[in-house]
Amino acid sequence: MQKITLTRVFTSDKSKEGVPFKTKDGKPYTKLLLKATEHGDDWLSGFQNANNKDWKEGDVVEVIITQQEKDGKIYKNFS
């Protein structure tokens, strides 16, 4: 677990094309993107849920951060 200080919080339930996000089994979900002091300009990506739906800028939260490489880029995810 890592404590981070949120500097940006962004949620979306639709893609850039306006298509709703859905899991492989067809359930809708909301994407939660975070920026944190400890990770500079990097976005941390995850799913919104009951535990994090009220997070806002300035909050200090505990998350698990993982990295994934795709198409030559590094993506950071949180849970």
Side-chain angles (χ1 to χ4, degrees):
M1 285 276 209
Q2 178 181 2
K3 285 188 179 183
I4 60 172
T5 304
L6 304 180
T7 57
R8 297 278 310 272
V9 178
F10 176 79
T11 60
S12 178
D13 59 358
K14 294 184 176 122
S15 69
K16 293 177 187 176
E17 296 80 23
V19 178
F21 292 126
K22 294 195 180 209
T23 61
K24 291 178 183 177
D25 60 358
K27 294 180 183 177
Y29 69 89
T30 300
K31 183 186 333 187
L32 178 60
L33 297 170
L34 306 171
K35 279 194 177 183
T37 303
E38 298 78 6
H39 291 274
D41 285 334
D42 294 340
W43 283 101
L44 308 174
S45 180
F47 301 102
Q48 187 179 52
N49 60 42
N51 295 324
N52 61 28
K53 69 179 179 70
D54 294 323
W55 287 359
K56 60 190 178 311
E57 293 174 15
D59 286 351
V60 176
V61 299
E62 285 191 18
V63 294
I64 297 170
I65 297 175
T66 58
Q67 292 188 75
Q68 175 180 20
E69 185 177 344
K70 183 178 178 182
D71 300 326
K73 293 184 181 182
I74 301 290
Y75 295 91
K76 292 183 179 181
N77 300 311
F78 74 90
S79 57

